[in-house]
Amino acid sequence: MPPKNAGTPATSGRNVASELAFLTRALKAPSLAAAVERLAERARTESWTHEEFLAACLQREVAAREAHGGEGRIRAARFPARKSLEDFDVEHQRSLKRETL
């Protein structure tokens, strides 16, 4: 059986910060790399379980990927200009009803 504190940075000789930096780069998870220290501190403060901490880390990365994924696809499409429904001139297209939009 391993010693009780074998996984802690002070007794294992591991540099956890550099290990996390390497792993987040390998997984291409820059958002997680930026947030892991803050999430770890919150987990310690709020006494999260390991599973809760892992879920928070994964939620952070998924949210970032969802937010940036759409942006990347819009850039890849090379639209000449960015437009939204709020910018649409309903008066110009009279066959559409404002309520329908």
Side-chain angles (χ1 to χ4, degrees):
M1 190 185 265
K4 189 172 187 171
N5 292 328
T8 62
T11 59
S12 68
R14 290 172 38 199
N15 184 338
V16 177
S18 65
E19 193 173 346
L20 287 172
F22 167 76
L23 293 170
T24 53
R25 267 193 321 273
L27 291 171
K28 295 183 174 126
S31 171
L32 178 56
V36 73
E37 194 173 316
R38 189 175 63 253
L39 286 171
E41 183 58 39
R42 185 172 171 202
R44 283 188 286 275
T45 303
E46 297 178 15
S47 302
W48 289 356
T49 64
H50 292 38
E51 293 84 357
E52 289 171 323
F53 174 66
L54 178 59
C57 289
L58 296 175
Q59 285 171 350
R60 173 72 179 108
E61 188 59 30
V62 166
R65 288 183 184 200
E66 286 176 348
H68 293 103
E71 290 296 320
R73 286 188 291 278
I74 289 171
R75 277 193 305 274
R78 296 181 182 215
F79 292 127
R82 189 111 188 232
K83 297 184 179 185
S84 68
L85 281 177
E86 289 78 23
D87 300 331
F88 186 74
D89 183 10
V90 180
E91 300 302 321
H92 181 71
Q93 185 67 33
R94 295 176 189 224
S95 64
L96 291 175
K97 295 180 182 172
R98 184 180 301 271
E99 300 80 32
T100 305
L101 287 177

